[in-house]
C-alpha cells in the first residue's frame, strides 16, 4: 500500500506531441486516489501505470483549457462501464457544468452512478474538500482564465502504541483509542502513566502543492511555504521569457525561484512547451536556482 505518493500521468502542455501526454496526476494517499486535471489519454495512462479506477472518488480540475479537462468525458464513461455505483465529485471552476452537462446528457445517460460538481472559487485560498485523511485547499493562480492550483495536506496521524509498555501496565483495549489521541493512562491503583511512556509520535503530516498553469506569481509563496513536494509548471526556457509573459505561463527559472523563496523541500517541474525536444535546458535553468530540481516525466511516481 502506498503511503503518500504522486503519480505523474502527463506533463505536456496544450499542443500534442509524441514525447509527452496532456496534464494529469493522481495523488495516492494509502490507496485513496485523488486526480488532478484530466487531459486526453489520462485513462489509458492509468492502465499503463496500473492505477485502480475503482479507488478514484475525487477529481480536481485547475481550469478549463482542453489539455487539462478533455479526458473527463471518456474517463466518466469508462467508470460507468466498469460498474461504478459510488458518487464521483469533480471540483472545478463553476464553468465546468457548461462543458460537462451536455456531454453527460448525450453520452452518459443511465449511468449507474452520480457525477456531482463542486464549484471552486479560483480567486481565494480556501478549503475545497476534506475527508478523514486529507484536506484540499485552492491556490489562486495567475492565468488567462480562472485557474487555481491545489494544496493537499495530510491530516495528523495517531501516535503509535508501544506494545511492550501497554502490556507491562496491562492497559485495557478500551483505553487504546484515547491513548493514541494523547491521553495518559490511569491504573486501577490511581497511578498516572504519561502518554509519552506508552506511545511514539507518528510521522509528521505531509503536504503537496500543485501550481499549473500560472504566470510567475509570488503571491502563492505564503500558501505553499515549506511543502514537502511542489509541482510547478515550467512551460518555457529563459530565451522565451517574453512568450511566457504573453501567455501567462512560467519559465523553469521562475518555477525554481518560487520553490526557493517558499522553502519547499523538493521541486518537480512539468507542463513543457511542445517546442522543446530536449528538456536539458529547462532542467539546467531550474537547477541553477533550485539544486536538485526533478524533471517531471510520464510514469514517474514520487513519494511525498
Amino acid at each position: 500500500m502506498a503511503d503518500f505518493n504522486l503519480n505523474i500521468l502527463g506533463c505536456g502542455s496544450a499542443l500534442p506531441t509524441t514525447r509527452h501526454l496532456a496534464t494529469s496526476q493522481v495523488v495516492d494517499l494509502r490507496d485513496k486516489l485523488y486526480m488532478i486535471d484530466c487531459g486526453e489519454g489520462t485513462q489509458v495512462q492509468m492502465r499503463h501505470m496500473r492505477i485502480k479506477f475503482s479507488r478514484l472518488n475525487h477529481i480536481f480540475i485547475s481550469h478549463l483549457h482542453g489539455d487539462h479537462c478533455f479526458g473527463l468525458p471518456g474517463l466518466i464513461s469508462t467508470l460507468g462501464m466498469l460498474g461504478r455505483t459510488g458518487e464521483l465529485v469533480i471540483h472545478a471552476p463553476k464553468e465546468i457544468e457548461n462543458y460537462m452537462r451536455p456531454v453527460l446528457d448525450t453520452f452518459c445517460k443511465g449511468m449507474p452512478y452520480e457525477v456531482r460538481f463542486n464549484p471552486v472559487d479560483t480567486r481565494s485560498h480556501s478549503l475545497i474538500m476534506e475527508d478523514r485523511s486529507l484536506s484540499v485547499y485552492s491556490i489562486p493562480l495567475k492565468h488567462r482564465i480562472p485557474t487555481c492550483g491545489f494544496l493537499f495536506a495530510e491530516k495528523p496521524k495517531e501516535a503509535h502504541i508501544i506494545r511492550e509498555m501497554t502490556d507491562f501496565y496491562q492497559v485495557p483495549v478500551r483505553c487504546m483509542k484515547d491513548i493514541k489521541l494523547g491521553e495518559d493512562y490511569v491504573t486501577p491503583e490511581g497511578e498516572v502513566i504519561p502518554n509519552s511512556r506508552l506511545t511514539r509520535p507518528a510521522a509528521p503530516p505531509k503536504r503537496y502543492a500543485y501550481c499549473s498553469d500560472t504566470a510567475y506569481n509570488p503571491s502563492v509563496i505564503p500558501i505553499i511555504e515549506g511543502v514537502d513536494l511542489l509541482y510547478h509548471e515550467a512551460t518555457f526556457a529563459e530565451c522565451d521569457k517574453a512568450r511566457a509573459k504573453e501567455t501567462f505561463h512560467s519559465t523553469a527559472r521562475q518555477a525554481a525561484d518560487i520553490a526557493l523563496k517558499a522553502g519547499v523541500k523538493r521541486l518537480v517541474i512539468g507542463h513543457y512547451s511542445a517546442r522543446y525536444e530536449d528538456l536539458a535546458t529547462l532542467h539546467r535553468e531550474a537547477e541553477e536556482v533550485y539544486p536538485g530540481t526533478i524533471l517531471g516525466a510520464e510514469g514517474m511516481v514520487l513519494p511525498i
Side-chain angles (χ1 to χ4, degrees):
M1 179 188 295
D3 187 38
F4 198 0
N5 287 342
L6 172 67
N7 299 266
I8 298 180
L9 283 68
C11 53
S13 57
L15 284 177
T17 72
T18 57
R19 302 183 300 279
H20 297 290
L21 297 173
T23 298
S24 185
Q25 301 183 354
V26 170
V27 172
D28 184 344
L29 178 57
R30 294 184 285 279
D31 275 350
K32 295 173 71 173
L33 305 184
Y34 309 83
M35 179 173 285
I36 308 171
D37 285 334
C38 187
E40 291 177 272
T42 290
Q43 58 178 323
V44 175
Q45 188 68 349
M46 289 177 71
R47 290 294 194 196
H48 283 309
M49 297 180 68
R50 301 183 183 278
I51 294 172
K52 297 177 181 177
F53 286 68
S54 61
R55 299 282 186 179
L56 180 63
N57 293 313
H58 295 271
I59 300 177
F60 299 84
I61 301 296
S62 61
H63 64 296
L64 296 186
H65 278 161
D67 55 319
H68 294 256
C69 63
F70 278 173
L72 269 177
L75 177 59
I76 289 172
S77 177
T78 295
L79 291 173
M81 289 188 286
L82 291 173
R84 180 188 185 90
T85 56
E87 179 184 68
L88 177 70
V89 186
I90 299 177
H91 311 267
K94 64 180 185 299
E95 294 82 4
I96 188 73
E97 286 208 63
N98 298 337
Y99 161 47
M100 286 302 303
R101 279 300 175 195
V103 173
L104 294 176
D105 291 343
T106 303
F107 297 104
C108 301
K109 288 183 178 178
M111 284 196 312
Y113 72 98
E114 179 183 355
V115 177
R116 178 165 64 88
F117 296 97
N118 177 35
V120 174
D121 181 0
T122 60
R123 299 164 298 177
S124 69
H125 170 50
S126 55
L127 179 68
I128 299 172
M129 166 262 162
E130 67 177 336
D131 56 25
R132 289 181 298 175
S133 306
L134 189 72
S135 299
V136 184
Y137 300 86
S138 56
I139 305 173
L141 298 179
K142 188 178 179 181
H143 198 42
R144 287 168 288 171
I145 64 173
T147 304
C148 69
F150 303 104
L151 175 65
F152 291 77
E154 183 183 21
K155 290 186 175 180
K157 291 177 278 191
E158 295 177 342
H160 300 293
I161 294 289
I162 302 174
R163 184 60 60 187
E164 295 85 352
M165 298 305 293
T166 56
D167 287 348
F168 178 79
Y169 288 106
Q170 299 181 336
V171 178
V173 172
R174 69 177 184 276
C175 298
M176 293 298 184
K177 181 67 175 178
D178 290 337
I179 290 172
K180 286 183 179 181
L181 295 175
E183 295 291 328
D184 296 331
Y185 171 62
V186 181
T187 68
E189 294 76 29
E191 181 184 0
V192 177
I193 310 301
N195 185 271
S196 59
R197 195 180 299 173
L198 303 172
T199 63
R200 288 191 301 272
K206 302 296 183 70
R207 295 183 301 146
Y208 168 60
Y210 171 90
C211 294
S212 184
D213 297 5
T214 183
Y216 180 69
N217 185 21
S219 66
V220 306
I221 291 172
I223 299 174
I224 66 174
E225 186 173 7
V227 297
D228 296 273
L229 180 65
L230 166 66
Y231 176 92
H232 197 290
E233 74 131 281
T235 308
F236 293 103
E238 283 298 299
C239 62
D240 295 310
K241 189 174 182 178
R243 180 62 176 161
K245 184 177 181 180
E246 177 187 356
T247 58
F248 288 83
H249 283 294
S250 299
T251 67
R253 185 180 296 276
Q254 289 172 333
D257 183 68
I258 293 291
L260 183 69
K261 289 176 178 176
V264 308
K265 294 177 183 175
R266 287 185 301 155
L267 167 67
V268 55
I269 57 174
H271 199 266
Y272 314 118
S273 169
R275 69 185 62 197
Y276 306 114
E277 292 193 15
D278 183 0
L279 300 177
T281 298
L282 296 177
H283 196 196
R284 183 181 68 253
E285 290 180 352
E287 281 220 305
E288 288 172 355
V289 176
Y290 188 94
T293 295
I294 301 165
L295 193 66
E298 282 74 11
M300 182 176 281
V301 180
L302 296 171
I304 295 172

